[in-house]
mmCIF file of all heavy atoms in Angstrom:
data_model
loop_
_atom_site.group_PDB
_atom_site.id
_atom_site.type_symbol
_atom_site.label_atom_id
_atom_site.label_comp_id
_atom_site.label_asym_id
_atom_site.label_seq_id
_atom_site.Cartn_x
_atom_site.Cartn_y
_atom_site.Cartn_z
ATOM 1 N N MET A 1 118.418 101.360 89.628
ATOM 2 C CA MET A 1 117.266 101.723 90.420
ATOM 3 C C MET A 1 117.593 101.564 91.906
ATOM 4 O O MET A 1 118.256 100.645 92.290
ATOM 5 C CB MET A 1 116.153 100.768 90.069
ATOM 6 C CG MET A 1 114.815 101.134 90.664
ATOM 7 S SD MET A 1 113.575 100.027 89.964
ATOM 8 C CE MET A 1 112.110 101.039 90.064
ATOM 9 N N LYS A 2 117.219 102.557 92.669
ATOM 10 C CA LYS A 2 117.566 102.529 94.100
ATOM 11 C C LYS A 2 116.230 102.306 94.861
ATOM 12 O O LYS A 2 115.274 103.091 94.707
ATOM 13 C CB LYS A 2 118.213 103.849 94.533
ATOM 14 C CG LYS A 2 118.732 103.783 95.910
ATOM 15 C CD LYS A 2 119.503 105.012 96.235
ATOM 16 C CE LYS A 2 119.895 105.014 97.727
ATOM 17 N NZ LYS A 2 120.172 106.362 98.197
ATOM 18 N N ILE A 3 116.216 101.282 95.691
ATOM 19 C CA ILE A 3 114.988 100.922 96.472
ATOM 20 C C ILE A 3 115.406 100.881 97.919
ATOM 21 O O ILE A 3 116.346 100.150 98.254
ATOM 22 C CB ILE A 3 114.394 99.614 96.013
ATOM 23 C CG1 ILE A 3 114.128 99.608 94.505
ATOM 24 C CG2 ILE A 3 113.151 99.319 96.783
ATOM 25 C CD1 ILE A 3 113.781 98.265 93.899
ATOM 26 N N THR A 4 114.741 101.601 98.771
ATOM 27 C CA THR A 4 115.077 101.534 100.204
ATOM 28 C C THR A 4 113.760 101.396 101.008
ATOM 29 O O THR A 4 112.655 101.806 100.595
ATOM 30 C CB THR A 4 115.808 102.752 100.673
ATOM 31 O OG1 THR A 4 115.087 103.923 100.280
ATOM 32 C CG2 THR A 4 117.217 102.841 100.114
ATOM 33 N N VAL A 5 113.879 100.795 102.194
ATOM 34 C CA VAL A 5 112.764 100.729 103.110
ATOM 35 C C VAL A 5 113.148 101.411 104.426
ATOM 36 O O VAL A 5 114.237 101.133 104.972
ATOM 37 C CB VAL A 5 112.370 99.244 103.414
ATOM 38 C CG1 VAL A 5 111.349 99.183 104.470
ATOM 39 C CG2 VAL A 5 111.885 98.541 102.136
ATOM 40 N N ASP A 6 112.348 102.314 104.872
ATOM 41 C CA ASP A 6 112.566 103.011 106.154
ATOM 42 C C ASP A 6 112.166 102.014 107.265
ATOM 43 O O ASP A 6 110.991 101.823 107.462
ATOM 44 C CB ASP A 6 111.745 104.277 106.160
ATOM 45 C CG ASP A 6 112.042 105.085 107.502
ATOM 46 O OD1 ASP A 6 112.383 104.512 108.498
ATOM 47 O OD2 ASP A 6 111.828 106.313 107.388
ATOM 48 N N GLN A 7 113.162 101.519 107.929
ATOM 49 C CA GLN A 7 112.909 100.531 108.915
ATOM 50 C C GLN A 7 112.121 101.033 110.142
ATOM 51 O O GLN A 7 111.460 100.322 110.846
ATOM 52 C CB GLN A 7 114.250 99.917 109.473
ATOM 53 C CG GLN A 7 115.058 99.221 108.385
ATOM 54 C CD GLN A 7 114.426 97.957 107.914
ATOM 55 O OE1 GLN A 7 114.167 97.055 108.669
ATOM 56 N NE2 GLN A 7 114.179 97.782 106.673
ATOM 57 N N ASN A 8 112.223 102.352 110.358
ATOM 58 C CA ASN A 8 111.488 102.921 111.452
ATOM 59 C C ASN A 8 109.959 103.095 111.150
ATOM 60 O O ASN A 8 109.181 103.077 112.044
ATOM 61 C CB ASN A 8 112.073 104.330 111.813
ATOM 62 C CG ASN A 8 113.480 104.165 112.374
ATOM 63 O OD1 ASN A 8 113.737 103.328 113.094
ATOM 64 N ND2 ASN A 8 114.331 105.049 111.963
ATOM 65 N N LYS A 9 109.704 103.215 109.868
ATOM 66 C CA LYS A 9 108.257 103.331 109.445
ATOM 67 C C LYS A 9 107.595 102.011 109.250
ATOM 68 O O LYS A 9 106.444 101.868 109.504
ATOM 69 C CB LYS A 9 108.174 104.127 108.157
ATOM 70 C CG LYS A 9 108.330 105.661 108.295
ATOM 71 C CD LYS A 9 108.020 106.276 106.918
ATOM 72 C CE LYS A 9 107.759 107.753 107.039
ATOM 73 N NZ LYS A 9 107.477 108.246 105.668
ATOM 74 N N CYS A 10 108.339 101.044 108.727
ATOM 75 C CA CYS A 10 107.797 99.742 108.342
ATOM 76 C C CYS A 10 107.114 99.062 109.571
ATOM 77 O O CYS A 10 107.651 99.013 110.605
ATOM 78 C CB CYS A 10 108.854 98.846 107.776
ATOM 79 S SG CYS A 10 108.317 97.160 107.448
ATOM 80 N N ILE A 11 105.838 98.636 109.287
ATOM 81 C CA ILE A 11 105.076 97.930 110.382
ATOM 82 C C ILE A 11 105.072 96.448 110.158
ATOM 83 O O ILE A 11 104.328 95.713 110.863
ATOM 84 C CB ILE A 11 103.657 98.480 110.512
ATOM 85 C CG1 ILE A 11 102.935 98.421 109.187
ATOM 86 C CG2 ILE A 11 103.702 99.945 110.994
ATOM 87 C CD1 ILE A 11 101.434 98.699 109.262
ATOM 88 N N GLY A 12 105.771 95.963 109.159
ATOM 89 C CA GLY A 12 105.916 94.518 108.936
ATOM 90 C C GLY A 12 104.652 93.843 108.436
ATOM 91 O O GLY A 12 104.402 92.686 108.744
ATOM 92 N N CYS A 13 103.796 94.562 107.665
ATOM 93 C CA CYS A 13 102.538 94.027 107.265
ATOM 94 C C CYS A 13 102.696 92.947 106.205
ATOM 95 O O CYS A 13 101.800 92.072 106.015
ATOM 96 C CB CYS A 13 101.587 95.117 106.759
ATOM 97 S SG CYS A 13 102.076 95.722 105.175
ATOM 98 N N GLY A 14 103.833 92.911 105.521
ATOM 99 C CA GLY A 14 104.093 91.900 104.489
ATOM 100 C C GLY A 14 103.501 92.184 103.126
ATOM 101 O O GLY A 14 103.662 91.358 102.213
ATOM 102 N N ARG A 15 102.891 93.294 102.985
ATOM 103 C CA ARG A 15 102.212 93.630 101.705
ATOM 104 C C ARG A 15 103.240 93.706 100.603
ATOM 105 O O ARG A 15 102.981 93.119 99.498
ATOM 106 C CB ARG A 15 101.478 94.969 101.843
ATOM 107 C CG ARG A 15 100.671 95.379 100.675
ATOM 108 C CD ARG A 15 99.287 94.776 100.689
ATOM 109 N NE ARG A 15 98.520 95.150 99.532
ATOM 110 C CZ ARG A 15 98.139 94.291 98.599
ATOM 111 N NH1 ARG A 15 98.410 93.054 98.705
ATOM 112 N NH2 ARG A 15 97.464 94.735 97.558
ATOM 113 N N CYS A 16 104.319 94.313 100.815
ATOM 114 C CA CYS A 16 105.321 94.486 99.751
ATOM 115 C C CYS A 16 105.924 93.107 99.266
ATOM 116 O O CYS A 16 106.089 92.913 98.092
ATOM 117 C CB CYS A 16 106.474 95.394 100.166
ATOM 118 S SG CYS A 16 107.280 94.943 101.698
ATOM 119 N N SER A 17 106.112 92.234 100.210
ATOM 120 C CA SER A 17 106.691 90.934 99.813
ATOM 121 C C SER A 17 105.624 90.074 99.103
ATOM 122 O O SER A 17 105.944 89.214 98.275
ATOM 123 C CB SER A 17 107.287 90.197 101.006
ATOM 124 O OG SER A 17 106.341 90.084 102.036
ATOM 125 N N GLU A 18 104.331 90.310 99.380
ATOM 126 C CA GLU A 18 103.303 89.626 98.714
ATOM 127 C C GLU A 18 103.235 90.146 97.269
ATOM 128 O O GLU A 18 103.137 89.333 96.292
ATOM 129 C CB GLU A 18 101.885 89.890 99.328
ATOM 130 C CG GLU A 18 101.606 88.993 100.492
ATOM 131 C CD GLU A 18 100.307 89.504 101.183
ATOM 132 O OE1 GLU A 18 99.437 90.169 100.537
ATOM 133 O OE2 GLU A 18 100.167 89.232 102.387
ATOM 134 N N ILE A 19 103.343 91.426 97.097
ATOM 135 C CA ILE A 19 103.209 92.008 95.766
ATOM 136 C C ILE A 19 104.485 91.709 94.919
ATOM 137 O O ILE A 19 104.407 91.542 93.770
ATOM 138 C CB ILE A 19 103.034 93.555 95.902
ATOM 139 C CG1 ILE A 19 101.683 93.900 96.532
ATOM 140 C CG2 ILE A 19 103.157 94.250 94.553
ATOM 141 C CD1 ILE A 19 101.486 95.323 96.923
ATOM 142 N N CYS A 20 105.664 91.814 95.580
ATOM 143 C CA CYS A 20 106.841 91.735 94.853
ATOM 144 C C CYS A 20 107.957 90.949 95.656
ATOM 145 O O CYS A 20 108.889 91.501 96.187
ATOM 146 C CB CYS A 20 107.359 93.227 94.620
ATOM 147 S SG CYS A 20 108.584 93.350 93.326
ATOM 148 N N ALA A 21 107.772 89.626 95.608
ATOM 149 C CA ALA A 21 108.661 88.771 96.391
ATOM 150 C C ALA A 21 110.106 88.771 95.826
ATOM 151 O O ALA A 21 111.043 88.364 96.525
ATOM 152 C CB ALA A 21 108.069 87.329 96.381
ATOM 153 N N SER A 22 110.254 89.182 94.614
ATOM 154 C CA SER A 22 111.586 89.257 94.044
ATOM 155 C C SER A 22 112.405 90.412 94.594
ATOM 156 O O SER A 22 113.636 90.445 94.423
ATOM 157 C CB SER A 22 111.536 89.331 92.560
ATOM 158 O OG SER A 22 110.803 90.462 92.109
ATOM 159 N N THR A 23 111.784 91.376 95.176
ATOM 160 C CA THR A 23 112.457 92.585 95.670
ATOM 161 C C THR A 23 112.471 92.694 97.205
ATOM 162 O O THR A 23 113.419 93.197 97.746
ATOM 163 C CB THR A 23 111.820 93.819 95.069
ATOM 164 O OG1 THR A 23 111.893 93.726 93.630
ATOM 165 C CG2 THR A 23 112.491 95.077 95.533
ATOM 166 N N PHE A 24 111.357 92.244 97.808
ATOM 167 C CA PHE A 24 111.243 92.425 99.252
ATOM 168 C C PHE A 24 111.077 91.131 100.028
ATOM 169 O O PHE A 24 110.405 90.213 99.471
ATOM 170 C CB PHE A 24 110.012 93.329 99.602
ATOM 171 C CG PHE A 24 110.040 94.659 98.897
ATOM 172 C CD1 PHE A 24 109.329 94.837 97.693
ATOM 173 C CD2 PHE A 24 110.737 95.705 99.421
ATOM 174 C CE1 PHE A 24 109.303 96.077 97.041
ATOM 175 C CE2 PHE A 24 110.752 96.937 98.764
ATOM 176 C CZ PHE A 24 110.023 97.122 97.580
ATOM 177 N N ARG A 25 111.558 91.052 101.205
ATOM 178 C CA ARG A 25 111.237 89.972 102.102
ATOM 179 C C ARG A 25 111.254 90.517 103.522
ATOM 180 O O ARG A 25 111.857 91.509 103.805
ATOM 181 C CB ARG A 25 112.212 88.757 101.937
ATOM 182 C CG ARG A 25 113.573 89.007 102.608
ATOM 183 C CD ARG A 25 114.369 87.814 102.645
ATOM 184 N NE ARG A 25 115.700 88.153 103.040
ATOM 185 C CZ ARG A 25 116.843 87.604 102.602
ATOM 186 N NH1 ARG A 25 116.748 86.624 101.689
ATOM 187 N NH2 ARG A 25 118.057 88.008 102.975
ATOM 188 N N LEU A 26 110.456 89.818 104.370
ATOM 189 C CA LEU A 26 110.504 90.197 105.806
ATOM 190 C C LEU A 26 111.714 89.544 106.451
ATOM 191 O O LEU A 26 111.989 88.426 106.269
ATOM 192 C CB LEU A 26 109.254 89.760 106.495
ATOM 193 C CG LEU A 26 107.939 90.480 106.008
ATOM 194 C CD1 LEU A 26 106.793 89.951 106.871
ATOM 195 C CD2 LEU A 26 108.000 91.921 106.065
ATOM 196 N N ASN A 27 112.487 90.389 107.217
ATOM 197 C CA ASN A 27 113.708 89.869 107.825
ATOM 198 C C ASN A 27 113.353 89.291 109.225
ATOM 199 O O ASN A 27 112.193 89.267 109.669
ATOM 200 C CB ASN A 27 114.778 90.967 107.877
ATOM 201 C CG ASN A 27 114.339 92.162 108.741
ATOM 202 O OD1 ASN A 27 113.499 92.049 109.626
ATOM 203 N ND2 ASN A 27 115.035 93.280 108.500
ATOM 204 N N ALA A 28 114.391 88.920 109.943
ATOM 205 C CA ALA A 28 114.220 88.264 111.214
ATOM 206 C C ALA A 28 113.513 89.191 112.290
ATOM 207 O O ALA A 28 112.918 88.744 113.218
ATOM 208 C CB ALA A 28 115.589 87.809 111.779
ATOM 209 N N SER A 29 113.593 90.506 112.010
ATOM 210 C CA SER A 29 112.939 91.491 112.924
ATOM 211 C C SER A 29 111.508 91.709 112.517
ATOM 212 O O SER A 29 110.846 92.580 113.105
ATOM 213 C CB SER A 29 113.740 92.742 112.869
ATOM 214 O OG SER A 29 115.077 92.614 113.082
ATOM 215 N N GLY A 30 111.046 91.092 111.429
ATOM 216 C CA GLY A 30 109.691 91.236 110.981
ATOM 217 C C GLY A 30 109.511 92.548 110.179
ATOM 218 O O GLY A 30 108.391 93.007 109.992
ATOM 219 N N LYS A 31 110.617 93.102 109.716
ATOM 220 C CA LYS A 31 110.563 94.303 108.890
ATOM 221 C C LYS A 31 110.935 93.918 107.437
ATOM 222 O O LYS A 31 111.662 92.916 107.224
ATOM 223 C CB LYS A 31 111.531 95.403 109.363
ATOM 224 C CG LYS A 31 111.335 95.863 110.827
ATOM 225 C CD LYS A 31 110.089 96.653 110.962
ATOM 226 C CE LYS A 31 109.895 97.094 112.427
ATOM 227 N NZ LYS A 31 110.367 98.390 112.711
ATOM 228 N N SER A 32 110.519 94.766 106.531
ATOM 229 C CA SER A 32 110.814 94.484 105.124
ATOM 230 C C SER A 32 112.245 94.858 104.854
ATOM 231 O O SER A 32 112.721 95.859 105.257
ATOM 232 C CB SER A 32 109.876 95.295 104.207
ATOM 233 O OG SER A 32 110.277 95.221 102.854
ATOM 234 N N GLU A 33 112.910 94.020 104.076
ATOM 235 C CA GLU A 33 114.246 94.388 103.588
ATOM 236 C C GLU A 33 114.301 94.189 102.062
ATOM 237 O O GLU A 33 113.654 93.335 101.516
ATOM 238 C CB GLU A 33 115.348 93.601 104.290
ATOM 239 C CG GLU A 33 115.422 92.177 103.948
ATOM 240 C CD GLU A 33 116.548 91.486 104.726
ATOM 241 O OE1 GLU A 33 117.184 92.062 105.620
ATOM 242 O OE2 GLU A 33 116.826 90.274 104.383
ATOM 243 N N VAL A 34 115.143 94.926 101.434
ATOM 244 C CA VAL A 34 115.307 94.894 99.994
ATOM 245 C C VAL A 34 116.341 93.844 99.638
ATOM 246 O O VAL A 34 117.477 93.852 100.127
ATOM 247 C CB VAL A 34 115.747 96.282 99.495
ATOM 248 C CG1 VAL A 34 116.007 96.199 97.936
ATOM 249 C CG2 VAL A 34 114.721 97.350 99.827
ATOM 250 N N ILE A 35 115.929 92.872 98.793
ATOM 251 C CA ILE A 35 116.855 91.786 98.400
ATOM 252 C C ILE A 35 117.321 91.928 96.984
ATOM 253 O O ILE A 35 118.251 91.230 96.587
ATOM 254 C CB ILE A 35 116.224 90.385 98.619
ATOM 255 C CG1 ILE A 35 114.860 90.313 97.936
ATOM 256 C CG2 ILE A 35 116.046 90.122 100.143
ATOM 257 C CD1 ILE A 35 114.265 88.901 97.983
ATOM 258 N N SER A 36 116.696 92.862 96.224
ATOM 259 C CA SER A 36 117.154 93.086 94.842
ATOM 260 C C SER A 36 116.848 94.519 94.434
ATOM 261 O O SER A 36 115.754 95.010 94.788
ATOM 262 C CB SER A 36 116.479 92.108 93.907
ATOM 263 O OG SER A 36 116.618 92.506 92.565
ATOM 264 N N THR A 37 117.727 95.157 93.749
ATOM 265 C CA THR A 37 117.413 96.544 93.310
ATOM 266 C C THR A 37 117.223 96.515 91.781
ATOM 267 O O THR A 37 117.258 97.545 91.163
ATOM 268 C CB THR A 37 118.527 97.529 93.709
ATOM 269 O OG1 THR A 37 119.775 96.985 93.167
ATOM 270 C CG2 THR A 37 118.599 97.688 95.189
ATOM 271 N N GLU A 38 116.952 95.337 91.244
ATOM 272 C CA GLU A 38 116.621 95.236 89.792
ATOM 273 C C GLU A 38 115.338 96.089 89.587
ATOM 274 O O GLU A 38 114.399 96.004 90.407
ATOM 275 C CB GLU A 38 116.299 93.783 89.420
ATOM 276 C CG GLU A 38 117.484 92.883 89.463
ATOM 277 C CD GLU A 38 118.435 93.172 88.340
ATOM 278 O OE1 GLU A 38 117.974 93.241 87.162
ATOM 279 O OE2 GLU A 38 119.644 93.299 88.576
ATOM 280 N N LYS A 39 115.304 96.742 88.456
ATOM 281 C CA LYS A 39 114.070 97.585 88.180
ATOM 282 C C LYS A 39 112.939 96.652 87.943
ATOM 283 O O LYS A 39 113.035 95.620 87.244
ATOM 284 C CB LYS A 39 114.361 98.335 86.851
ATOM 285 C CG LYS A 39 113.226 99.237 86.473
ATOM 286 C CD LYS A 39 113.575 100.121 85.304
ATOM 287 C CE LYS A 39 112.445 100.917 84.726
ATOM 288 N NZ LYS A 39 111.773 101.791 85.711
ATOM 289 N N SER A 40 111.833 96.934 88.582
ATOM 290 C CA SER A 40 110.631 96.114 88.370
ATOM 291 C C SER A 40 109.423 96.927 88.658
ATOM 292 O O SER A 40 109.373 97.788 89.511
ATOM 293 C CB SER A 40 110.664 94.957 89.349
ATOM 294 O OG SER A 40 110.512 95.357 90.672
ATOM 295 N N ASP A 41 108.384 96.614 87.869
ATOM 296 C CA ASP A 41 107.117 97.308 88.009
ATOM 297 C C ASP A 41 106.508 96.983 89.360
ATOM 298 O O ASP A 41 105.887 97.889 90.010
ATOM 299 C CB ASP A 41 106.103 96.911 86.941
ATOM 300 C CG ASP A 41 106.515 97.493 85.578
ATOM 301 O OD1 ASP A 41 107.325 98.414 85.567
ATOM 302 O OD2 ASP A 41 106.051 96.948 84.593
ATOM 303 N N CYS A 42 106.690 95.817 89.880
ATOM 304 C CA CYS A 42 106.088 95.420 91.129
ATOM 305 C C CYS A 42 106.687 96.169 92.323
ATOM 306 O O CYS A 42 105.982 96.457 93.292
ATOM 307 C CB CYS A 42 106.016 93.924 91.323
ATOM 308 S SG CYS A 42 107.601 93.118 91.621
ATOM 309 N N ALA A 43 107.949 96.559 92.216
ATOM 310 C CA ALA A 43 108.565 97.368 93.307
ATOM 311 C C ALA A 43 107.871 98.729 93.403
ATOM 312 O O ALA A 43 107.616 99.201 94.488
ATOM 313 C CB ALA A 43 110.042 97.516 93.069
ATOM 314 N N MET A 44 107.560 99.286 92.233
ATOM 315 C CA MET A 44 106.835 100.563 92.214
ATOM 316 C C MET A 44 105.470 100.397 92.817
ATOM 317 O O MET A 44 104.970 101.282 93.588
ATOM 318 C CB MET A 44 106.713 101.098 90.791
ATOM 319 C CG MET A 44 107.943 101.031 89.992
ATOM 320 S SD MET A 44 108.956 102.443 90.241
ATOM 321 C CE MET A 44 108.398 103.482 88.938
ATOM 322 N N GLN A 45 104.814 99.294 92.444
ATOM 323 C CA GLN A 45 103.461 99.080 92.933
ATOM 324 C C GLN A 45 103.478 98.882 94.451
ATOM 325 O O GLN A 45 102.644 99.379 95.192
ATOM 326 C CB GLN A 45 102.898 97.782 92.240
ATOM 327 C CG GLN A 45 101.419 97.575 92.539
ATOM 328 C CD GLN A 45 100.887 96.250 92.059
ATOM 329 O OE1 GLN A 45 101.532 95.540 91.260
ATOM 330 N NE2 GLN A 45 99.763 95.867 92.630
ATOM 331 N N ALA A 46 104.469 98.109 94.928
ATOM 332 C CA ALA A 46 104.571 97.894 96.380
ATOM 333 C C ALA A 46 104.761 99.228 97.088
ATOM 334 O O ALA A 46 104.194 99.452 98.167
ATOM 335 C CB ALA A 46 105.798 96.940 96.665
ATOM 336 N N ALA A 47 105.572 100.123 96.520
ATOM 337 C CA ALA A 47 105.773 101.432 97.173
ATOM 338 C C ALA A 47 104.450 102.157 97.209
ATOM 339 O O ALA A 47 104.172 102.846 98.217
ATOM 340 C CB ALA A 47 106.829 102.220 96.344
ATOM 341 N N ASP A 48 103.676 102.082 96.177
ATOM 342 C CA ASP A 48 102.353 102.764 96.162
ATOM 343 C C ASP A 48 101.419 102.179 97.191
ATOM 344 O O ASP A 48 100.653 102.919 97.815
ATOM 345 C CB ASP A 48 101.701 102.559 94.785
ATOM 346 C CG ASP A 48 102.252 103.534 93.738
ATOM 347 O OD1 ASP A 48 102.950 104.484 94.153
ATOM 348 O OD2 ASP A 48 102.003 103.335 92.537
ATOM 349 N N GLU A 49 101.556 100.857 97.427
ATOM 350 C CA GLU A 49 100.567 100.204 98.269
ATOM 351 C C GLU A 49 100.982 100.059 99.742
ATOM 352 O O GLU A 49 100.209 99.657 100.560
ATOM 353 C CB GLU A 49 100.204 98.861 97.678
ATOM 354 C CG GLU A 49 99.520 98.995 96.327
ATOM 355 C CD GLU A 49 98.681 97.836 95.889
ATOM 356 O OE1 GLU A 49 98.377 96.985 96.760
ATOM 357 O OE2 GLU A 49 98.372 97.747 94.688
ATOM 358 N N CYS A 50 102.233 100.383 100.039
ATOM 359 C CA CYS A 50 102.686 100.334 101.410
ATOM 360 C C CYS A 50 101.803 101.254 102.271
ATOM 361 O O CYS A 50 101.746 102.435 101.987
ATOM 362 C CB CYS A 50 104.130 100.737 101.550
ATOM 363 S SG CYS A 50 104.701 100.847 103.262
ATOM 364 N N PRO A 51 101.146 100.728 103.335
ATOM 365 C CA PRO A 51 100.187 101.555 104.095
ATOM 366 C C PRO A 51 100.879 102.751 104.819
ATOM 367 O O PRO A 51 100.210 103.655 105.257
ATOM 368 C CB PRO A 51 99.594 100.548 105.030
ATOM 369 C CG PRO A 51 100.544 99.417 105.130
ATOM 370 C CD PRO A 51 101.238 99.348 103.772
ATOM 371 N N VAL A 52 102.178 102.582 105.102
ATOM 372 C CA VAL A 52 102.821 103.705 105.876
ATOM 373 C C VAL A 52 103.894 104.447 105.051
ATOM 374 O O VAL A 52 104.681 105.206 105.576
ATOM 375 C CB VAL A 52 103.464 103.125 107.158
ATOM 376 C CG1 VAL A 52 102.432 102.573 108.109
ATOM 377 C CG2 VAL A 52 104.472 102.008 106.864
ATOM 378 N N GLU A 53 103.827 104.202 103.733
ATOM 379 C CA GLU A 53 104.787 104.862 102.793
ATOM 380 C C GLU A 53 106.217 104.748 103.227
ATOM 381 O O GLU A 53 106.936 105.713 103.280
ATOM 382 C CB GLU A 53 104.347 106.350 102.624
ATOM 383 C CG GLU A 53 102.982 106.410 102.015
ATOM 384 C CD GLU A 53 102.477 107.864 101.784
ATOM 385 O OE1 GLU A 53 103.132 108.804 102.252
ATOM 386 O OE2 GLU A 53 101.392 108.004 101.153
ATOM 387 N N ALA A 54 106.565 103.523 103.558
ATOM 388 C CA ALA A 54 108.005 103.288 104.035
ATOM 389 C C ALA A 54 108.960 102.943 102.869
ATOM 390 O O ALA A 54 110.152 102.844 103.114
ATOM 391 C CB ALA A 54 107.983 102.185 105.060
ATOM 392 N N ILE A 55 108.394 102.723 101.657
ATOM 393 C CA ILE A 55 109.294 102.281 100.552
ATOM 394 C C ILE A 55 109.570 103.488 99.641
ATOM 395 O O ILE A 55 108.655 104.205 99.242
ATOM 396 C CB ILE A 55 108.543 101.159 99.746
ATOM 397 C CG1 ILE A 55 108.256 99.953 100.650
ATOM 398 C CG2 ILE A 55 109.427 100.733 98.534
ATOM 399 C CD1 ILE A 55 107.399 98.999 100.003
ATOM 400 N N PHE A 56 110.792 103.612 99.323
ATOM 401 C CA PHE A 56 111.265 104.727 98.447
ATOM 402 C C PHE A 56 111.921 104.085 97.192
ATOM 403 O O PHE A 56 112.833 103.280 97.324
ATOM 404 C CB PHE A 56 112.190 105.645 99.145
ATOM 405 C CG PHE A 56 111.530 106.239 100.367
ATOM 406 C CD1 PHE A 56 111.683 105.610 101.616
ATOM 407 C CD2 PHE A 56 110.799 107.417 100.259
ATOM 408 C CE1 PHE A 56 111.034 106.206 102.763
ATOM 409 C CE2 PHE A 56 110.142 107.978 101.394
ATOM 410 C CZ PHE A 56 110.300 107.345 102.625
ATOM 411 N N VAL A 57 111.466 104.539 96.090
ATOM 412 C CA VAL A 57 112.026 104.048 94.798
ATOM 413 C C VAL A 57 112.561 105.230 93.995
ATOM 414 O O VAL A 57 111.751 106.192 93.779
ATOM 415 C CB VAL A 57 110.965 103.319 93.975
ATOM 416 C CG1 VAL A 57 111.560 102.816 92.699
ATOM 417 C CG2 VAL A 57 110.408 102.087 94.710
ATOM 418 N N GLU A 58 113.825 105.181 93.619
ATOM 419 C CA GLU A 58 114.430 106.207 92.788
ATOM 420 C C GLU A 58 114.869 105.612 91.488
ATOM 421 O O GLU A 58 115.475 104.507 91.490
ATOM 422 C CB GLU A 58 115.614 106.866 93.479
ATOM 423 C CG GLU A 58 115.235 107.716 94.678
ATOM 424 C CD GLU A 58 116.490 108.106 95.441
ATOM 425 O OE1 GLU A 58 117.493 108.503 94.812
ATOM 426 O OE2 GLU A 58 116.497 107.950 96.666
ATOM 427 N N GLU A 59 114.605 106.218 90.400
ATOM 428 C CA GLU A 59 115.031 105.727 89.105
ATOM 429 C C GLU A 59 116.502 105.838 89.005
ATOM 430 O O GLU A 59 117.152 106.749 89.515
ATOM 431 C CB GLU A 59 114.363 106.531 87.967
ATOM 432 C CG GLU A 59 112.906 106.315 87.868
ATOM 433 C CD GLU A 59 112.553 104.933 87.330
ATOM 434 O OE1 GLU A 59 113.403 104.302 86.758
ATOM 435 O OE2 GLU A 59 111.384 104.562 87.530
HETATM 436 S S1 SF4 B 1 104.285 97.194 102.810
HETATM 437 FE FE1 SF4 B 1 105.385 98.781 103.925
HETATM 438 S S2 SF4 B 1 104.838 98.454 106.033
HETATM 439 FE FE2 SF4 B 1 104.268 96.605 104.926
HETATM 440 S S3 SF4 B 1 106.088 95.248 105.161
HETATM 441 FE FE3 SF4 B 1 106.371 96.409 103.316
HETATM 442 S S4 SF4 B 1 107.528 98.204 103.808
HETATM 443 FE FE4 SF4 B 1 106.755 97.349 105.704
#
């Protein structure tokens, strides 16, 4: 599974790391970074709920 976050779009709201702490965390710049590309339902949910659609998930 390939998971990426567009750093230019991310506004650092923290929603993805709340929903799926095993996959996302906020980095020192306050942007989301991917810490695991393990397949997970919560990563898909985070992509759905990101307010600026910065998360891309490919099977
Ligand atoms: S939910 Fe979207 S905008 Fe918010 S921190 Fe995650 S990637 Fe960034």
Side-chain angles (χ1 to χ4, degrees):
M1 189 171 208
K2 189 175 174 204
I3 304 168
T4 52
V5 173
D6 184 332
Q7 299 290 304
N8 293 321
K9 280 188 167 180
C10 175
I11 56 171
C13 71
R15 185 86 181 112
C16 54
S17 55
E18 277 172 25
I19 294 170
C20 198
S22 56
T23 301
F24 305 96
R25 75 170 168 215
L26 294 185
N27 65 21
S29 311
K31 302 287 179 97
S32 173
E33 70 180 11
V34 177
I35 53 174
S36 165
T37 53
E38 293 287 310
K39 183 173 172 57
S40 67
D41 289 342
C42 69
M44 313 275 267
Q45 189 190 342
D48 280 346
E49 296 201 17
C50 173
V52 293
E53 298 181 351
I55 301 171
F56 300 91
V57 178
E58 290 171 45
E59 292 290 342

